[in-house]
Amino acid sequence: MKATNALTPPKEKKVTFSAAITGDSLQNLIRKSVATSEAAARLTGTLISAVAASQQLQNCKPATIVAAALRGEGMGLTLNREYHLIPFGDSCAFVIGYRGLIALALAGNDIADMDCIEVREGEFVGRDRRTKRPVFDFSVYTTDEEAAKHPVIGYYAYCEFVSGRFRFE
């Protein structure tokens, strides 16, 4: 005869992510959070595929995965392009990527222009004495093929705001 201990809770059978996300509670949450039933179905399918492809996400609680995804969806971002689901133990976190930051910045209508450019050897001229902004001559190479023969020595990112402010890195 096998003794049972009333103080030890019985082991719970782990529910698969696809079973959890297609359950009523998470489906209701998704339907309330996205605009259309088509968007809810798309998000559900995308999350099932993403979790099936990642052992670390499979170890996360389904509710944390859905909550993280809904943060990105609520901002109008695309999973695995503009935001990512990153597992931390048994929880999943929303992490915005650089493309997501750009998408949010451009959606604000405060930015006139934004870009990041490779700087190749021979294109950096120096700095402007007054503003200390870097000065480049991107006409040094007449074709992309000619430019590709020279190593990239850095990157130049800039953001020009509608107000006229200008930031660079």
Side-chain angles (χ1 to χ4, degrees):
M1 178 175 189
K2 189 172 184 178
T4 58
N5 185 342
L7 298 176
T8 306
K11 286 194 174 188
E12 293 180 24
K13 185 178 178 187
K14 185 172 178 173
V15 178
T16 65
F17 179 77
S18 57
I21 195 170
T22 54
D24 288 340
S25 64
L26 288 180
Q27 278 301 299
N28 288 336
L29 176 64
I30 291 171
R31 276 191 228 105
K32 287 179 188 175
S33 302
V34 296
T36 64
S37 58
E38 291 83 16
R42 179 195 53 79
L43 178 60
T44 300
T46 301
L47 289 177
I48 289 171
S49 296
V51 172
S54 169
Q55 182 61 46
Q56 290 96 350
L57 283 176
Q58 290 172 22
N59 294 330
C60 293
K61 295 175 186 168
T64 66
I65 296 170
V66 172
L70 288 176
R71 277 189 77 190
E73 295 294 318
M75 294 180 195
L77 303 176
T78 305
L79 176 63
N80 291 335
R81 176 167 171 78
E82 297 167 335
Y83 76 93
H84 308 279
L85 301 176
I86 306 298
F88 290 99
D90 66 349
S91 293
C92 181
F94 161 85
V95 176
I96 193 166
Y98 80 93
R99 287 183 178 127
L101 292 173
I102 291 170
L104 291 177
L106 293 175
N109 295 326
D110 293 328
I111 296 175
D113 191 20
M114 174 189 288
D115 204 354
C116 182
I117 303 167
E118 291 179 340
V119 178
R120 297 197 174 266
E121 191 175 69
E123 294 176 330
F124 178 67
V125 175
R127 290 192 174 269
D128 181 284
R129 287 182 160 199
R130 186 178 58 83
T131 65
K132 300 298 183 202
R133 289 183 183 166
V135 178
F136 302 97
D137 181 4
F138 293 112
S139 64
V140 173
Y141 307 115
T142 55
T143 65
D144 289 341
E145 291 79 19
E146 184 183 351
K149 294 177 185 175
H150 299 277
V152 174
I153 60 168
Y155 296 89
Y156 177 65
Y158 68 88
C159 180
E160 184 177 359
F161 294 86
V162 173
S163 66
R165 280 190 10 232
F166 187 87
R167 297 287 182 249
F168 62 89
E169 188 66 37

